[in-house]
Amino acid sequence: MYIHIGSDVVLRVEEIISFVYLDMEGDRKKNNEKILMKAAARGELFDLAAEAGRDGPGTLIVTVDNRVFISPFSIATLIRRCVNFELSEGLTISDG
């Protein structure tokens, strides 16, 4: 199953490792900056939020092949899309 993460990009749900709140002013700032800098250095950073014209915090999406996407969608929206996939496929939802 695929989910739309912004712009014209869709990912297979199975490819997604993590959703990370993109907080560039709070406690997570240093970690987020490291993730972004490393991904940009590898040429694996894709800023879909900027393409959508969004300024505020978005969501970092990390994939199994180390690509990093900045989605304009909230974590709640993205998780809801994944949960809907799991439920439609008869999978169980894990919280840990």
Side-chain angles (χ1 to χ4, degrees):
M1 177 65 141
Y2 294 86
I3 65 167
H4 176 250
I5 62 167
S7 191
D8 60 352
V9 178
V10 293
L11 292 176
R12 286 187 18 231
V13 172
E14 296 85 4
E15 290 182 293
I16 298 170
I17 293 175
S18 178
F19 296 123
V20 179
Y21 177 66
L22 182 57
D23 182 1
M24 296 310 287
E25 296 180 9
D27 299 348
R28 300 178 192 103
K29 181 179 179 178
K30 288 182 184 179
N31 289 334
N32 287 344
E33 286 176 341
K34 286 180 188 177
I35 293 169
L36 294 171
M37 288 176 23
K38 287 181 179 183
R42 292 190 316 266
E44 297 290 337
L45 177 63
F46 306 93
D47 191 347
L48 309 177
E51 290 178 22
R54 181 170 175 163
D55 275 344
T59 301
L60 290 178
I61 301 170
V62 182
T63 64
V64 295
D65 58 358
N66 292 319
R67 291 178 294 161
V68 175
F69 295 87
I70 302 174
S71 173
F73 301 132
S74 70
I75 289 177
T77 296
L78 295 166
I79 288 175
R80 186 171 47 249
R81 292 176 182 191
C82 289
V83 167
N84 288 341
F85 161 71
E86 288 181 345
L87 295 175
S88 71
E89 295 296 313
L91 302 173
T92 59
I93 299 168
S94 167
D95 61 3

